[in-house]
Amino acid sequence: MVSYKRLNPEDVQFSGAVLSEEPCPVREEVPAPEPEEASLLPRRPRCSVTTCLLVIGALLLLLCGGWLLGMFWLHRPSNQQPHRPPPPAPARTPESQVETGVNDTAAASRREACSLIPEAWRFDCYPERAVVVTRELCEARNCCFIPASAAARPSGRNGIPWCFYPQDFPSYSLVSINDTSLGQKGTLVREVKTYYPADILTLEVEIRHETDTRLRVRITDPSSPRFEVPISVPAAAKKADSPDYIVELSKSPFGLIVKRSSTGVVLLNTTVAPLFYADQFLQLSTSLQSQFIYGLGEHRATFLHDLHWNTLTMWARDVPPTEQTNLYGAHPFYLAMEDGGNAHGFFLLNSNAMDVALQPAPALTWRTIGGILDFYVFLGPDPASVIGQYVEVVGYPAMPVYWALGYHLCRWGYKTSNSTWEVVKSLRNYGIPQDVQWNDIDYMDQFLDFTFDPTKFGTLPDLVKDLHAHDQRYVMILDPGISSSQPEGSYWPYDEGLRRNVFIKDAEGKTLIGKVWPGLTAYPDFSDDVTHEWWYDNLQRFHEKVPFDGLWIDMNEPSNFLDGSTNGCPSNSLENPPYTPGVLGGLLRAKTVCATAQQKQSVHYNMHSLYGLMEAKASASALKRILAKRPFVISRSTFPSQGMFSGHWLGDNRSQWKDLYSSIAGILTFNLLGIPLVGADICGFSEEPEEELCVRWTQLGAFYPFTRNHNAIDMEPQDPTAFSPLARTAMKQALLLRYSLFPVLYTLFHHAHVHGHTVARPLMFEFPKDVRTYGIDKQFLWGKSLLVTPVLDPGVDYVDGYFPEGLWYDYYTGDSLRSKGEDLRLHAPLDKINLHLRDGSITPTQNAMTSQVLHSNVEATYITVETASFYGVKQEPSRVLVNSQDAAFTYRPNQVLTVAELGLNLSQNFTISWM
């Protein structure tokens, strides 16, 4: 091994193996002085004169080849700025020329080895952004440098890395391994430091066979505790008896290979690239079994992720949904489809800022800047089972209160409680169902939490009383930022918060002050139980004035109109880590609080993306105590286990057709992530809504698990009553259709709560062997059998949809459709959204316009089944029997049998048969 000179401000060394087969004999003479810009590859002793002549000839050939490569390289474009060639080498003495010739031969051999690595399998050795990666910078990291062609890097996107790891790049070795009660535990050792500071050279790896379908691996620092995500996960009591997986270990370099026992398919292979484990840079790469990868929220993207050099950053951020940008939540979980229809999942339990790099090999790299490597592999084997196993770890989603399934209406800019009230009355007058009315921040007095404007919203308590009288509910917004600039003694939330010490502190231990809607603000530390109690007290006090029914918690990334605080942030490695993932703004503190801010459980550097989860937990707990009912909370920022405490909406979208389409991918992704109560702002939040778009969006939104119409201040109204009679009627029909399907929807949420099922479901979940379903995000299912095919384009009266193989029935007419697995064009006038039922399903419906729920078995005796329709009855029956008694029926030529006036108690079994 050969040590290298210092390359960075940190005291970092590199080592590399000798590249030729036999070393040359060492001459007993004083070496020539080392040139200032000597090669960074391993230096070799000088050899014989004959060898030197051969080397010099080879060197001339290399110089010619290098000149050609340099000409090509100089013309290579880049996302940042043109790459520059290395500066000319200094003049050399004759003796140094001989020595350098050997080095260049070694370099040539190394570059040839580098060139043999396929482009798709090149793992980025220089992932830093805003850096022009030159050969010098790359080889300083002991990595391969090969400029890619211009065509290999799509405009505005990442491309094939120019700087990538050689196959012999130093990594950890497994030096010992022992059996444990749950699996194995071993020691990893790294002999050569990396190019990031504070390498942890000795690690402990623990492999836990927790269940037959769940494997857990933890890689930790045995000498010092590190931050771990403070969410509750199940603890296995014993080793799995018959696991569906096989774990193989590579000792040097260390790596894990996980295979499916039944097929031998490799699900995880971490030997494809070196393992990094420094204090602020942890990196783990794996091959992927296929190109079909889902999850990895929250990002605006297609449901099926693009693996063509696509990097997804996770660090909660307040920003309207934008492609290639870290958004409100962080969810380091993916679902992967395998050949043949099997599926598996992977979850990295880490909350620090991270990049997830996807590449077409296919392969994936996790790159995080803190915590530990604690990950799970879920064996499925079908997609639905994978999600069930994932939520078993992070927590099953809460069962929503029944009225949460209804139609919600909101806007920023009602301006007064009376104008809000008028909209509610207008919907009642038109017979448009509405369960919940919301208000945005304009209800507050000077945007202060736990207040309402006494002038503009003076009648708010009366509005809420009227809503309750009509069996409707009220939800209000709350932001976490608490005003710190009110006169002392005049604003109880801040004064009491100071007294109880509930606010996040800066690096000096003083209350950190940022800026949000009310001006200067302090941020509650929801990682502290004392803050939960203070939050409850504030909600209880305000509920006595305005008896709200649910909470909308916004701006909880947490958002800040400043970068850090009014006093800035310290200049240290937490604020400016050795590696910063691709966060919007380029800094961890961009539009949030300082990474060095102090919270009860850790610094904000570790806790940032957990803020929304912890606020949701505090809010749900408070509502349970105040209302003694199941809580309703909708949160903008989310993290794994969020579904236990809240739902989610997809943020500040736009009134555009592309936002209508992209909402489906968002809905499906969050159902994978264990947050089934999810929806997008119907008709779009910002920009002026078009009538046709709003009709189509209301039709699609009627099948969001969470259905809310919401728009921005100064935009035209977009509730159903604001449009033409034709549009208003179409919207009303779509919403009544949703209400009629409440028995189906409520049942689906129950299955999600108990079993971890999805509510809005990708087609591939039900048809995992049909590869054509893998990329579909313009259609989806409710449960197993209700297929939704919305119109997503303007100016059309048709829609194309894919129907997996089987028999399907038009929901409205019962007309049958037998598909071989094909695309079909459907008639779709403005007043219709296409729905189809899968053969063999039962779909209960109701007639009630507003949501009602049964609270006891006694009440169930008052619910009756009045009508039953059967699709696909091939011959007209001669008799229909209901509980062995003859009953009247109708039969239509399209093979639909209907039996009416049944009057059957829902609490008793019944039988309908025909002959």
Side-chain angles (χ1 to χ4, degrees), residues 294-438:
Y294 312 84
L296 299 174
E298 181 176 12
H299 297 91
R300 174 153 167 165
T302 53
F303 177 54
L304 171 63
H305 281 298
D306 178 9
L307 266 60
H308 190 76
W309 307 109
N310 182 19
T311 298
L312 303 171
T313 300
M314 296 186 191
W315 180 251
R317 172 62 194 259
D318 173 6
V319 60
T322 307
E323 289 79 2
Q324 297 293 307
T325 303
N326 53 299
L327 301 183
Y328 310 109
H331 294 268
F333 165 82
Y334 70 75
L335 168 73
M337 295 299 296
E338 306 165 26
D339 293 340
N342 284 339
H344 66 273
F346 184 101
F347 172 44
L348 176 62
L349 183 52
N350 185 289
S351 61
N352 288 88
M354 71 175 72
D355 283 335
V356 184
L358 304 169
Q359 60 191 78
L364 178 150
T365 296
W366 300 96
R367 195 178 292 134
T368 184
I369 62 172
I372 65 171
L373 294 179
D374 183 359
F375 58 86
Y376 294 82
V377 181
F378 306 105
L379 272 288
D382 58 276
S385 297
V386 172
I387 302 309
Q389 292 153 16
Y390 170 63
V391 298
E392 185 180 10
V393 168
V394 301
Y396 289 96
M399 184 68 192
V401 64
Y402 200 70
W403 55 259
L405 279 54
Y407 181 55
H408 300 243
L409 185 61
C410 183
R411 76 159 299 158
W412 179 21
Y414 282 124
K415 298 181 180 178
T416 69
S417 52
N418 285 338
S419 64
T420 308
W421 205 340
E422 289 303 315
V423 173
V424 172
K425 293 176 181 177
S426 181
L427 264 68
R428 291 175 189 163
N429 292 336
Y430 283 108
I432 297 172
Q434 180 196 7
D435 263 81
V436 195
Q437 180 60 49
W438 298 40

Side-chain angles (χ1 to χ4, degrees), residues 376-544:
Y376 294 82
V377 181
F378 306 105
L379 272 288
D382 58 276
S385 297
V386 172
I387 302 309
Q389 292 153 16
Y390 170 63
V391 298
E392 185 180 10
V393 168
V394 301
Y396 289 96
M399 184 68 192
V401 64
Y402 200 70
W403 55 259
L405 279 54
Y407 181 55
H408 300 243
L409 185 61
C410 183
R411 76 159 299 158
W412 179 21
Y414 282 124
K415 298 181 180 178
T416 69
S417 52
N418 285 338
S419 64
T420 308
W421 205 340
E422 289 303 315
V423 173
V424 172
K425 293 176 181 177
S426 181
L427 264 68
R428 291 175 189 163
N429 292 336
Y430 283 108
I432 297 172
Q434 180 196 7
D435 263 81
V436 195
Q437 180 60 49
W438 298 40
N439 274 125
D440 207 318
I441 57 174
D442 45 335
Y443 82 87
M444 299 178 183
D445 185 10
Q446 304 177 73
F447 302 125
L448 301 176
D449 275 356
F450 310 111
T451 69
F452 64 92
D453 187 319
T455 303
K456 297 179 180 178
F457 280 81
T459 59
L460 182 58
D462 296 325
L463 164 60
V464 175
K465 182 178 180 181
D466 178 69
L467 288 169
H468 290 166
H470 288 82
D471 199 25
Q472 294 173 294
R473 305 297 189 275
Y474 180 72
V475 171
M476 65 180 190
I477 192 172
L478 280 179
D479 295 337
I482 300 296
S483 175
S484 61
S485 57
Q486 304 306 306
E488 185 176 355
S490 66
Y491 185 46
W492 193 85
Y494 181 69
D495 294 337
E496 185 66 12
L498 284 180
R499 190 184 73 80
R500 300 193 199 182
N501 198 31
V502 305
F503 297 119
I504 292 176
K505 305 295 189 294
D506 63 18
E508 297 178 353
K510 302 175 182 177
T511 298
L512 184 145
I513 302 298
K515 184 179 182 181
V516 204
W517 295 112
L520 299 180
T521 54
Y523 294 84
D525 177 10
F526 289 105
S527 73
D528 191 344
D529 289 340
V530 173
T531 307
H532 288 218
E533 193 65 24
W534 165 85
W535 191 247
Y536 160 75
D537 289 340
N538 278 284
L539 288 168
Q540 175 66 51
R541 287 162 58 94
F542 190 68
H543 189 266
E544 292 172 356

Side-chain angles (χ1 to χ4, degrees), residues 611-825:
Y611 194 86
L613 168 64
M614 293 184 166
E615 186 191 13
K617 185 176 182 180
S619 300
S621 174
L623 283 178
K624 284 182 183 179
R625 294 169 64 183
I626 294 169
L627 302 174
K629 297 179 180 179
R630 278 177 278 167
F632 175 79
V633 181
I634 293 293
S635 175
R636 191 168 72 179
S637 187
T638 60
F639 190 80
S641 80
Q642 190 88 26
M644 298 175 65
F645 310 106
S646 82
H648 173 61
W649 97 104
L650 298 178
D652 296 340
N653 59 4
R654 302 165 185 83
S655 296
Q656 297 180 3
W657 288 91
K658 69 176 182 178
D659 288 66
L660 171 67
Y661 158 62
S662 67
S663 71
I664 299 178
I667 300 302
L668 295 178
T669 295
F670 272 91
N671 270 265
L672 266 58
L673 300 176
I675 309 175
L677 186 64
V678 58
D681 283 346
I682 293 173
C683 300
F685 174 72
S686 64
E687 304 184 13
E688 295 292 353
E690 302 173 10
E691 181 169 282
E692 181 190 8
L693 173 61
C694 207
V695 170
R696 294 302 193 188
W697 212 322
T698 304
Q699 291 168 343
L700 172 59
F703 291 90
Y704 291 160
F706 165 59
T707 297
R708 183 185 71 161
N709 181 318
H710 177 47
N711 69 328
I713 195 167
D714 297 330
M715 299 294 108
E716 291 295 320
Q718 61 185 36
D719 65 89
T721 66
F723 296 100
S724 70
L726 178 64
R728 184 172 63 243
T729 300
M731 294 180 192
K732 176 180 176 180
Q733 290 175 348
L735 294 173
L736 288 174
L737 176 61
R738 176 186 178 85
Y739 275 73
S740 73
L741 288 165
F742 269 16
V744 174
L745 186 57
Y746 199 56
T747 301
L748 291 175
F749 271 108
H750 175 72
H751 290 164
H753 172 60
V754 174
H755 303 294
H757 293 178
T758 52
V759 175
R761 187 168 302 174
L763 271 70
M764 69 174 189
F765 271 49
E766 295 300 321
F767 303 93
K769 295 185 182 299
D770 185 350
V771 179
R772 291 196 61 186
T773 65
Y774 288 10
I776 291 177
D777 56 9
K778 294 186 175 182
Q779 297 169 275
F780 59 95
L781 293 159
W782 263 16
K784 291 178 175 289
S785 57
L786 183 60
L787 177 61
V788 183
T789 308
V791 172
L792 304 172
D793 299 301
V796 297
D797 61 0
Y798 65 87
V799 61
D800 295 326
Y802 179 73
F803 285 78
E805 183 177 2
L807 187 60
W808 299 84
Y809 295 96
D810 184 293
Y811 176 83
Y812 306 100
T813 66
D815 291 345
S816 62
L817 183 160
R818 184 172 293 280
S819 173
K820 298 178 181 178
E822 53 197 308
D823 292 301
L824 297 172
R825 178 158 292 186

Side-chain angles (χ1 to χ4, degrees), residues 868 870 877-889 897-900 902 904 910-915:
F870 303 89
S878 59
R879 295 176 64 191
V880 172
L881 302 178
V882 177
N883 292 333
S884 302
Q885 301 294 317
D886 283 298
F889 65 91
L897 170 66
T898 301
V899 187
L902 291 171
L904 299 169
F910 58 87
T911 302
I912 301 176
S913 59
W914 55 87
M915 59 189 72

